[in-house]
């Protein structure tokens, strides 16, 4: 039961800060940091327990029963969970420490800590879940934390819009997740992972006619439908095309959040889900293909946009989208261990890059435009060197963690058949772009002449120790995570052929050499373009104007959504309200009322109060009655 | 009430509602969830010919609703503390009359008694809107009154018809065991529908709701949203389903379609609103769509979800209306455009408003998620497409509520209103915090509440699946095709249940 403390400690910190934050104020870190650090120690314990072959799952309490529905909250600890626990608590602890410096003197200091503690709790519950509903509940809860934290600076309209966009786009994905969940329960009668996997094997051949209610016939394998619906949720959460639009905007939030939520942990939940449900996905090749292709497209789209962005955080954000694409692609090709391996190394070096960005942003008084930077490497040496380590890892430079994981990922992908080989080539192209944009970032920000606002230029200095310490630790982790043997640790869990094929044959060496060359070429290219020949970027942009614009405007996806979905929805709502509710329904209601009033007014005419009218009426009546009596 | 001075009226009303709560609360623990029998019954002869009884009792369906009602009422009194300045005595008296009638409706086991309570609600509500309402209060009050009265007339007719066909009794439990000709069931269903669908309100009978809400004082809106709307769905569940099972099954597709239209249409209309109260009113239409949807998919999860959702909607929407009332007292405007950027000057208020909004959009961890999830589970086994379309409502809910939050909570307040924007006082905190606690309690641990419904819902479904055969007196009207049940068995079941 000590395992239960891992999520509960951050939750306790959240409750204390949520209720007493008003009084705790700038001492908030004294509550949150110890809680998360102890969680981290416990997660370390879990990791060694699991490495020693100890797996466990236990229910916490019965959440809801109704008819045959029986859902509990419970934990399941296996190798996959252990890796995620370690990642979440490590990055969370470091980000908590970094936040002490970054959010110093922010009026929402305590609130910020309470939210990241809540996030840590939710994320831990998510990865420890032993059933799909618990996964979904905390899946949405981390989304809520993301919403609250993106909108932390609520007096900035851009931050509020970004928060709302993140939540609603995720809801679109979760709509599919929810339907997948319902279909799982309907088909398998349970939402527990262990139960689902057993039942899924039994119903492998079942088909479902999705056009049945409309009289058509379109049989889809039940498992494919389930997997695709659940994957919709992952597309939203892990910012895959076409639901990737929320992640770059989410950079409006404070930078520690970008590192924790929008790089290392929450956005990887989609990858985690696919890996968690690997036994389900393995049964549906169609769904797997879709997952792989989605990942592949996202990988290259993200990288192509990152090439031209000028906001330092947005470059890293698009890079995250692209790297998530790699992981999703790997899962889709059955190389779950490789995907999870890259998830882990990416968590370390991407958190490092974001925290490095934060350090630069703070030093420059919240300047985020790369064009207003330059020449910072001597003023911010620790930030610079750690940033370089992170960028090397991202670019896949030999002997960094990113090198090992990306190489492992591409080799595994290559061995997964023709689709895998196509996607591997795409992955190599993306690797070239990755190396290029990550060193573009390094050179433009830290090298060359300074474009810093002269008002601030003299005061630029390294941030406090609480901020540089996490940078140094993460830089070390960005190297070390490559040597932990994570794929070997995870392989027993997934039992797929992809892993065995990994390190054999000339293809593996060929891909390793190719990937390394791509990385070096990208770095060299960035060096040539941004250091040797600084006039070149503008000339290139002029020559390839349409391509440059498309990349700069993120392939116009936001504009397309705005025109086709967002605006018509809002305009349509007002129109429909006026036409149907105000005119038709209320028109009818008021019409009935008016008709009754008018009828009453007509009848009232007969009540004239004059005796001769009544006499006339009586006489006429008598005549009518007499006629009827005589002739009918 | 009419003898007390105006100033003490508030305290007396508060004491009365709190006393009521204290009396009702132990029922939660005294209630035996293992039985579907009516509990805490009272049975006193009222009129001998025809036999009408003052007969009350609670089961797993009415218990949560009664508790919710008596829980909401002290909050309504507190919310009116400073908002109502004229004729306080009369106002408080009307609120207390409402409470009597509402609890009566949920607890009545005699159909005439039910009808008396049902109609008794109309007058105080009419006065609450018409006397203490906003500028256009008369139009709204009359619209509300006539809309609902037109429906109730047909309900009365249906009650009398049931009296004659059901063995000359007004006993609701006995009538629920009775069997009625299929054709008659159809007409009775339509008569019930007229009364209940207006109250819910179901699409397209919903247009009285936005007007009534906008004009009603805060307490009126809260009572209307939290309790009054549940009367309609309660009626469907208590009368239409067990008494008219064949007709209920027959009309299920129509009811489901109307419910789904309400879910989507109500949410979509909420998107267009610029008035906070109208926005919440349309969101009510959407949420009540989930309730009727759950009821008419006719299975355990659906109905339990529906009952839970009735309670949830009472808590959440009640909270939202209380929030609107609080801000109206400060800025004297319900327009979203006039109430922006409240997070900075009113942090506590903003936090609570966000929690209510998140609950309303069905965020997991809050009460509404549990209810909507159960309803969707129930719907899914009835029709996958219906569940899919209904789920679209949760995307729209996120959109209109977060957009509301973005405008009201975030941003920069107008300097014109800033001096008035003081944060919640203790009275206001006391009105809102209990609701927040309930939201999270039901969200994190719904089992105690849902398990109290199990037996009663099972019982309702059992009485529906018991094939009903027309009494011999009316052979021509009954005898529909699917009644292929062994008649001996039929008699046995009937004998058992009497």
């Amino acid at each position: 039961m000590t395992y239960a403390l891992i999520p509960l400690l951050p939750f306790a910190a959240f409750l204390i800060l949520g209720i007493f934050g008003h009084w705790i104020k700038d001492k908030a870190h004294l509550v949150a940091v110890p809680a998360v650090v102890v969680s981290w120690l416990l997660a370390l314990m879990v990791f060694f327990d699991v490495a020693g072959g100890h797996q466990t799952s236990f229910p916490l309490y019965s959440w809801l029963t109704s008819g045959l529905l029986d859902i509990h909250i419970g934990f399941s600890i296996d190798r996959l969970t252990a890796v995620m626990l370690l990642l979440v608590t490590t990055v969370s602890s470091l980000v908590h420490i970094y936040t002490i410096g970054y959010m110093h003197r922010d009026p929402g200091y305590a609130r910020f800590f309470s939210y990241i503690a809540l996030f840590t709790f939710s994320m831990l519950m998510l990865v420890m879940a032993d059933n799909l509903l618990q996964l979904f509940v905390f899946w949405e809860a981390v989304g809520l934390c993301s919403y609250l934290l993106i909108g932390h600076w609520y007096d900035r309209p851009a931050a509020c819009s970004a928060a709302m966009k993140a939540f609603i786009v995720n809801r679109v994905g979760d709509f599919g997740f929810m339907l997948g969940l319902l279909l799982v329960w309907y088909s398998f009668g349970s939402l527990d992972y262990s139960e689902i996997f057993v039942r899924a094997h039994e119903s492998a051949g079942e088909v479902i006619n999705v056009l049945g209610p409309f009289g058509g016939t379109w049989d889809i394998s039940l498992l494919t439908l389930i997997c695709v619906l659940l994957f919709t949720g992952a597309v939203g959460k892990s910012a895959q095309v076409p639901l990737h639009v929320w992640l770059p905007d989410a950079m409006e939030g404070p930078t520690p959040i970008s590192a924790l939520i929008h790089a290392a942990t929450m956005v990887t939940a989609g990858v985690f889900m696919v890996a968690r449900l690997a036994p389900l996905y393995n049964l549906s090749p169609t769904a797997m293909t879709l997952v792989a292709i989605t990942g592949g497209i996202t990988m290259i789209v993200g990288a192509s946009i990152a090439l031209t962005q000028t906001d330092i955080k947005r470059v890293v954000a698009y890079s995250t989208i692209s790297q998530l694409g790699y992981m999703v692609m790997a899962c889709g090709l059955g190389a779950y261990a490789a995907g999870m391996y890259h998830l882990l190394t990416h968590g370390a070096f991407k958190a490092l890059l974001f925290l490095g960005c934060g350090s630069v942003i703070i030093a420059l008084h919240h300047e985020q435009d790369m064009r207003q930077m330059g020449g910072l490497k001597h003023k911010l040496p620790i930030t610079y060197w750690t940033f370089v380590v992170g960028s090397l890892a991202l670019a896949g430079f030999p002997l960094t963690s990113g090198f090992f994981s990306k190489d492992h990922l591409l080799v595994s992908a290559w061995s997964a058949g023709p689709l895998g080989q196509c996607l591997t080539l795409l992955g190599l192209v993306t690797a070239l772009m990755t190396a290029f944009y990550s060193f573009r970032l390094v050179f433009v920000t830290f090298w060359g002449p300074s474009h810093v606002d002269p008002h601030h230029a003299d005061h630029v200095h390294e941030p406090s120790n609480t901020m540089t310490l996490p940078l140094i630790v993460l830089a070390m982790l960005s190297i070390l995570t490559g040597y932990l043997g994570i794929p070997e640790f995870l392989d027993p869990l997934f039992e797929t052929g992809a892993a065995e094929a990994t390190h054999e044959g000339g293809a593996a060496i060929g891909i390793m050499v190719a990937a390394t060359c791509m990385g070096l070429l990208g770095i060299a290219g960035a060096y040539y373009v941004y250091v040797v020949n600084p006039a070149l970027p503008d000339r290139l942009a002029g020559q390839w104007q349409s391509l440059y614009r498309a990349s700069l405007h993120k392939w116009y996806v936001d504009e397309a959504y705005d025109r086709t979905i967002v605006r018509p929805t809002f305009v349509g709502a007002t129109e429909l309200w006026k036409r149907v509710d105000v005119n038709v329904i209320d028109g009818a209601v008021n019409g009935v009322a008016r008709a009754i009033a008018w009828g009453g007014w007509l009848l009232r005419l007969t009540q004239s109060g004059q005796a001769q009218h009544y006499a006339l009426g009586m006489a006429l009546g008598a005549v009518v009655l007499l006629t009827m009596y005589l002739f009918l | 009430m009419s003898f007390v001075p105006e100033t003490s009226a508030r305290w007396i009303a508060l004491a009365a509602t709190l006393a009521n709560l204290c009396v009702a609360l132990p029922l939660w623990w005294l209630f035996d969830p293992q039985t579907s029998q009516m509990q805490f019954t009272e049975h006193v002869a009222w009129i001998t010919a025809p036999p009408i009884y003052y007969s009350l009792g609670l089961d797993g369906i009415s218990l949560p609703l009664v508790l919710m009602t008596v829980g909401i009422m002290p909050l309504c009194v507190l919310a009116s503390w400073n908002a109502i300045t004229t004729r306080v005595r009369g106002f408080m008296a009307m609120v207390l009359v409402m409470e009597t009638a509402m609890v009566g409706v949920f607890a009545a086991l005699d159909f005439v008694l039910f009808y008396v309570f049902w109609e008794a609600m109309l007058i105080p509500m009419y006065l609450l809107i018409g006397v203490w309402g906003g500028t256009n209060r008369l139009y709204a009050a009359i619209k509300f009154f006539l809309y609902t009265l037109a429906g109730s007339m047909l309900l009365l007719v249906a009650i009398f018809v049931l009296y004659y066909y059901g063995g000359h009794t007004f006993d609701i439990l006995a009538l629920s065991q009775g069997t009625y000709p299929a054709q008659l069931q159809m007409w009775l269903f339509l008569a019930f529908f007229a009364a209940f669908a207006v109250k819910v309100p179901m699409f397209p009978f919903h247009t009285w709701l936005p007007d009534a809400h906008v004009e009603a004082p805060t307490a009126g809106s809260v009572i209307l949203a939290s309790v009054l709307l549940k009367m309609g769905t309660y009626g469907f569940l208590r009368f239409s389903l067990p008494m008219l099972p064949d007709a209920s099954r027959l009309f299920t597709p129509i009811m489901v379609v109307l419910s789904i239209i309400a879910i989507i249409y109500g949410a979509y209309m909420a998107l267009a609103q610029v008035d906070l109260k109208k926005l919440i009113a349309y969101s009510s239409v959407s949420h009540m769509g989930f309730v009727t949807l759950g009821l008419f998919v006719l299975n355990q999860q659906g109905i339990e979800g529906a009952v839970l959702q009735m309670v949830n909607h009472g808590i959440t929407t009640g909270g939202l209306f209380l929030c609107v009332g609080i801000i109206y007292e400060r800025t004297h405007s319900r327009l979203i455009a006039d109430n922006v950027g409240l997070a900075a000057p009113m942090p506590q208020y903003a936090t609570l408003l966000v929690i209510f909004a998140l609950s309303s959009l069905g965020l997991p961890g809050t009460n509404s998620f549990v209810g909507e999830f159960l309803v969707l589970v129930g719907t899914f086994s009835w029709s996958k497409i219906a569940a899919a379309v209904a789920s679209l409502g949760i995307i729209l809910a996120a959109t209109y509520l977060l957009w509301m939050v973005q405008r009201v909570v975030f941003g920069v307040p107008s300097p014109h209103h800033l001096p008035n924007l003081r944060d919640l006082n203790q009275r206001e905190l006391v009105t809102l915090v209990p609701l927040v606690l309930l939201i999270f309690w039901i969200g994190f641990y719904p089992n105690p509440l849902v398990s109290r419904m199990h037996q009663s819902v099972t019982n309702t479904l059992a009485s529906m699946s018991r094939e009903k055969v027309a009494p011999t007196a009316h052979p021509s009207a009954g005898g529909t095709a699917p009644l292929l049940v062994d008649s001996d068995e039929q008699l046995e079941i009937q004998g058992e249940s009497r």
Side-chain angles (χ1 to χ4, degrees):
Chain A
M1 283 303 271
T2 37
Y3 292 171
L5 281 178
I6 297 174
L8 289 181
L9 282 169
F11 186 65
F14 157 71
L15 282 184
I16 294 171
L17 291 174
I19 297 169
F20 305 109
H22 189 64
W23 293 278
I24 298 174
K25 279 186 182 141
D26 52 353
K27 301 271 187 298
H29 56 273
L30 294 180
V31 178
V33 173
V36 181
V37 170
V38 174
S39 277
W40 171 70
L41 287 172
L42 289 170
L44 216 54
M45 191 185 85
V46 169
F47 189 80
F48 288 118
D49 281 0
V50 173
H54 179 73
Q55 297 202 5
T56 178
S57 74
F58 56 93
L60 209 59
Y61 66 92
S62 172
W63 185 66
L64 177 66
T65 53
S66 171
L68 296 171
L69 190 72
D70 183 3
I71 299 167
H72 60 265
I73 299 291
F75 297 140
S76 154
I77 314 275
D78 61 0
R79 285 167 180 260
L80 183 62
T81 310
V83 169
M84 287 301 285
L85 283 180
L86 208 53
L87 171 71
V88 174
T89 52
T90 309
V91 179
S92 181
S93 302
L94 292 170
V95 165
H96 269 75
I97 295 168
Y98 183 88
T99 301
I100 300 172
Y102 192 89
M103 299 302 281
H104 183 57
R105 291 211 206 127
D106 189 279
Y109 191 71
R111 178 163 53 93
F112 190 84
F113 267 107
S114 75
Y115 289 165
I116 49 175
L118 178 65
F119 169 78
T120 309
F121 157 72
S122 309
M123 191 69 207
L124 292 169
M125 290 296 281
L126 188 157
V127 299
M128 291 172 84
D130 71 345
N131 64 76
L132 260 186
L133 191 96
Q134 187 178 341
L135 176 74
F136 181 75
V137 165
F138 290 99
W139 180 275
E140 291 253 308
V142 289
L144 167 73
C145 298
S146 162
Y147 167 80
L148 293 170
L149 286 162
I150 297 169
H152 178 76
W153 288 314
Y154 50 74
D155 46 357
R156 299 184 188 173
C160 300
S161 305
M164 194 170 93
K165 184 171 171 184
F167 197 94
I168 292 169
V169 171
N170 269 295
R171 266 269 157 137
V172 174
D174 293 349
F175 162 72
F177 193 163
M178 183 78 177
L179 291 180
L181 196 85
L182 293 171
L183 190 58
V184 166
W185 188 77
Y186 179 76
S187 314
F188 303 149
S190 173
L191 289 169
D192 292 351
Y193 294 143
S194 49
E195 192 82 12
I196 293 172
F197 298 153
V198 174
R199 298 287 172 84
H201 268 286
E202 292 163 6
S203 56
E206 271 181 43
V207 291
I208 197 163
N209 182 7
V210 277
L211 287 183
F214 306 111
T217 318
W218 186 22
D219 285 336
I220 292 185
S221 147
L222 172 69
L223 289 169
T224 300
L225 190 59
I226 288 176
C227 289
V228 169
L229 284 172
L230 292 176
F231 181 62
T232 319
V235 169
K237 193 65 76 194
S238 287
Q240 301 292 295
V241 174
L243 296 181
H244 64 287
V245 289
W246 65 270
L247 185 58
D249 287 19
M251 296 302 126
E252 294 294 338
T255 307
I257 292 322
S258 313
L260 175 62
I261 300 184
H262 304 122
T265 56
M266 184 189 82
V267 288
T268 60
V271 183
F272 167 76
M273 178 177 81
V274 178
R276 174 92 284 172
L277 301 177
L280 205 61
Y281 277 88
N282 283 335
L283 294 170
S284 170
T286 320
M288 293 280 275
T289 308
L290 182 80
V291 172
I293 291 175
T294 308
I297 293 173
T298 307
M299 177 172 78
I300 191 118
V301 166
S304 68
I305 298 174
L307 288 174
T308 56
Q309 299 303 306
T310 53
D311 183 317
I312 180 170
K313 282 180 74 182
R314 283 187 188 242
V315 176
V316 189
Y318 278 106
S319 151
T320 305
I321 292 177
S322 170
Q323 299 298 310
L324 288 166
Y326 272 107
M327 302 169 208
V328 169
M329 179 190 82
C331 289
L333 295 170
Y336 302 103
M340 288 303 298
Y341 183 27
H342 196 56
L343 189 158
L344 191 73
T345 59
H346 172 261
F349 64 71
K350 194 50 73 63
L352 169 62
L353 288 177
F354 266 119
L355 294 186
C357 289
S359 179
V360 171
I361 291 167
I362 281 286
L364 299 182
H365 297 264
H366 292 278
E367 177 58 63
Q368 296 190 194
D369 192 333
M370 277 160 70
R371 291 166 299 187
Q372 308 298 317
M373 297 175 183
L376 294 172
K377 70 177 167 180
H378 299 298
K379 288 179 174 163
L380 304 172
I382 300 176
T383 307
Y384 168 66
W385 283 110
T386 52
F387 203 91
V388 167
V389 171
S391 299
L392 287 172
L394 175 59
F397 193 79
L399 305 183
T400 59
S401 64
F403 165 75
F404 290 113
S405 62
K406 195 180 283 179
D407 175 51
H408 185 80
L409 193 151
L410 289 175
V411 172
S412 306
W414 182 264
S415 59
L419 176 68
Q421 288 168 1
C422 292
L423 289 174
T424 307
L425 295 178
L426 203 62
L428 286 172
V429 176
T430 311
L432 176 69
M433 292 183 180
T434 309
F436 184 84
Y437 69 67
S438 48
F439 275 84
R440 166 178 177 256
L441 190 58
V442 171
F443 295 139
V444 174
T445 310
F446 292 100
W447 291 40
S450 171
H451 303 287
V452 179
D453 186 347
H455 289 300
H456 302 316
D458 296 338
H459 313 298
V460 173
H461 59 87
E462 281 290 3
S464 61
N465 289 340
T466 52
M467 286 171 71
T468 48
L469 179 77
L471 290 178
I472 295 166
V473 174
L474 280 170
M476 291 194 289
L477 289 177
S478 299
I479 307 287
L480 287 178
T481 44
Y483 300 91
L484 291 180
I486 296 299
E488 291 75 21
F489 180 76
L490 286 173
D491 270 338
L493 195 69
F494 297 114
E495 300 163 357
T496 48
E500 289 137 39
T502 304
H503 294 296
E504 60 184 43
I509 297 170
I511 288 169
M512 192 178 86
V513 172
T516 312
C517 288
M518 288 297 179
L520 295 174
L521 202 63
I523 298 172
Y527 183 77
Y528 178 72
V529 173
Y530 290 97
V531 181
V532 178
N533 201 347
L536 198 58
D538 287 335
R539 232 177 50 224
L540 284 177
Q543 262 171 7
W544 303 90
Q545 210 164 32
S546 53
L547 262 180
Y548 171 73
R549 286 247 180 90
S551 168
L552 188 66
H553 290 103
K554 307 157 261 177
W555 301 107
Y556 299 102
V557 178
D558 273 316
E559 285 81 355
Y561 285 166
D562 195 49
R563 292 235 178 102
T564 55
I565 300 172
V566 180
R567 255 186 268 168
T569 306
F570 280 96
V571 173
T574 314
E575 282 297 305
L576 197 69
W577 177 61
K578 281 188 189 143
R579 298 234 169 108
V580 177
D581 255 38
V582 177
N583 287 340
V584 179
I585 300 180
D586 256 4
V589 171
N590 293 334
V592 169
R594 237 174 267 128
I596 291 171
W598 185 70
W601 176 80
L602 267 189
L603 286 173
R604 204 179 60 192
L605 290 182
T606 60
Q607 303 271 326
S608 60
Q610 300 195 4
Q612 59 265 45
H613 287 170
Y614 296 150
L616 183 66
M618 272 173 71
L620 281 174
V623 169
V624 168
L625 283 177
L626 203 63
T627 325
M628 282 167 69
Y629 177 69
L630 287 175
F631 296 103
L632 294 175
Chain B
M1 209 72 189
S2 58
F3 303 109
V4 302
E6 293 269 340
T7 43
S8 47
R10 296 186 178 101
W11 286 105
I12 290 175
L14 183 63
T17 50
L18 278 179
N20 213 358
L21 178 61
C22 290
V23 173
L25 212 51
L27 299 182
W28 173 259
W29 289 277
L30 295 173
F31 183 83
D32 176 11
Q34 304 302 329
T35 172
S36 65
Q37 298 291 314
M38 285 292 168
Q39 303 182 35
F40 321 115
T41 49
E42 279 178 38
H43 197 67
V44 181
W46 181 18
I47 299 166
T48 43
I52 298 173
Y53 292 89
Y54 178 81
S55 174
L56 302 175
L58 296 178
D59 67 354
I61 293 165
S62 43
L63 175 81
L65 295 171
V66 167
L67 288 178
M68 180 194 74
T69 307
V70 298
I72 286 284
M73 295 314 288
L75 308 184
C76 289
V77 173
L78 282 173
S80 318
W81 209 258
N82 295 335
I84 302 299
T85 47
T86 55
R87 309 187 200 196
V88 183
R89 217 163 36 189
F91 182 87
M92 293 300 170
M94 287 306 119
V95 168
L96 292 175
V97 172
M98 279 303 292
E99 180 166 17
T100 308
M102 291 185 304
V103 174
V105 163
F106 289 133
L109 293 181
D110 184 286
F111 226 147
V112 173
L113 186 66
F114 171 85
Y115 189 78
V116 169
F117 283 132
W118 175 273
E119 291 292 19
M121 287 182 318
L122 271 188
I123 298 150
M125 198 64 221
Y126 171 78
L127 293 174
L128 283 181
I129 298 173
V131 176
W132 291 274
T135 43
N136 200 13
R137 56 182 179 266
L138 282 180
Y139 171 76
I142 291 174
K143 198 172 176 181
F144 161 77
F145 193 87
L146 291 181
Y147 240 119
T148 39
L149 192 71
S152 330
M153 286 294 122
L154 291 169
L155 175 64
L156 187 61
V157 175
I159 291 174
F160 289 138
V161 174
L162 273 171
Y163 173 76
Y164 285 105
Y165 277 83
H168 295 268
T169 174
F170 287 114
D171 183 347
I172 288 172
L173 295 181
L175 288 173
S176 305
Q177 304 295 344
T179 51
Y180 311 97
Q183 193 123 35
L184 181 71
Q185 281 194 29
M186 218 181 78
W187 289 111
L188 289 175
F189 188 92
L190 289 174
F192 280 165
F193 178 81
F196 301 147
V198 166
K199 240 348 181 246
V200 171
M202 292 181 76
F203 179 87
F205 307 107
H206 62 277
T207 57
W208 64 269
L209 189 70
D211 285 321
H213 270 313
V214 166
E215 299 305 330
T218 302
S221 285
V222 175
I223 295 173
L224 198 57
S226 296
V227 190
L228 237 63
L229 304 190
K230 310 311 173 302
M231 306 281 166
T233 45
Y234 176 78
F236 279 126
L237 180 54
R238 181 63 84 211
F239 307 116
S240 301
L241 297 192
M243 292 180 192
L244 315 169
D246 298 326
S248 296
R249 271 192 287 270
L250 184 70
F251 281 104
T252 287
I254 297 173
M255 298 299 285
V256 167
V257 168
L258 283 180
S259 305
I260 290 176
I261 292 177
I263 292 171
I264 302 294
Y265 184 80
Y268 199 43
M269 291 300 97
L271 209 51
Q273 303 307 318
V274 294
D275 181 309
L276 278 170
K277 272 193 163 179
K278 269 200 176 161
L279 188 149
I280 302 167
Y282 276 106
S283 88
S284 289
V285 174
S286 181
H287 286 115
M288 294 308 286
F290 268 105
V291 179
T292 47
L293 178 65
L295 290 181
F296 278 91
V297 295
L298 306 177
N299 55 38
Q300 186 96 17
Q301 290 92 17
I303 294 179
E304 284 178 6
V307 178
L308 184 61
Q309 201 53 10
M310 287 190 223
V311 177
N312 289 340
H313 180 260
I315 295 168
T316 303
T317 309
L320 282 172
F321 276 121
L322 288 172
C323 281
V324 177
I326 287 168
I327 196 62
Y328 183 75
E329 281 180 40
R330 285 161 172 71
T331 62
H332 302 285
S333 169
R334 286 180 313 263
L335 293 182
I336 291 174
D338 287 339
N339 299 301
V340 293
L342 302 182
M346 304 172 69
Q348 289 177 341
Y349 174 84
T351 308
L352 295 177
L353 179 65
V354 170
I355 291 174
F356 288 124
L358 292 173
S359 161
S360 188
L361 64 83
L363 189 84
T366 65
N367 54 352
S368 305
F369 172 71
V370 188
E372 282 172 13
F373 176 70
L374 276 174
V375 169
L376 286 175
V377 166
T379 311
F380 201 81
S381 24
W382 188 80
S383 153
K384 296 175 192 64
I385 298 292
V389 180
S391 305
L392 280 175
I394 62 177
I395 300 181
L396 284 171
T399 311
Y400 68 77
L401 282 160
L402 289 185
W403 198 40
M404 184 272 280
V405 166
Q406 190 193 354
R407 289 175 289 172
V408 173
V409 173
F410 302 133
V412 183
S414 74
H416 172 61
H417 287 305
L418 200 55
N420 301 323
L421 295 176
R422 41 181 207 289
D423 210 349
L424 300 178
N425 60 33
Q426 297 205 325
R427 172 181 60 80
E428 287 161 339
L429 266 180
V430 168
T431 51
L432 294 178
V433 168
L435 296 175
V436 171
L437 295 179
L438 284 173
I439 283 175
F440 289 121
W441 173 59
I442 300 177
F444 276 99
Y445 194 32
N447 228 359
L449 182 53
V450 179
S451 62
R452 278 171 170 74
M453 302 170 189
H454 288 333
Q455 291 304 325
S456 301
V457 173
T458 312
N459 187 44
T460 305
L461 284 169
S463 77
M464 282 197 73
S465 57
R466 195 171 48 89
E467 297 293 346
K468 307 237 170 175
V469 185
T472 44
H474 304 277
S476 57
T480 46
L483 306 181
L484 300 169
V485 169
D486 189 348
S487 57
D488 287 346
E489 195 187 310
Q490 187 71 30
L491 283 174
E492 210 176 274
I493 296 169
Q494 282 195 9
E496 222 172 56
S497 48
R498 293 261 168 163

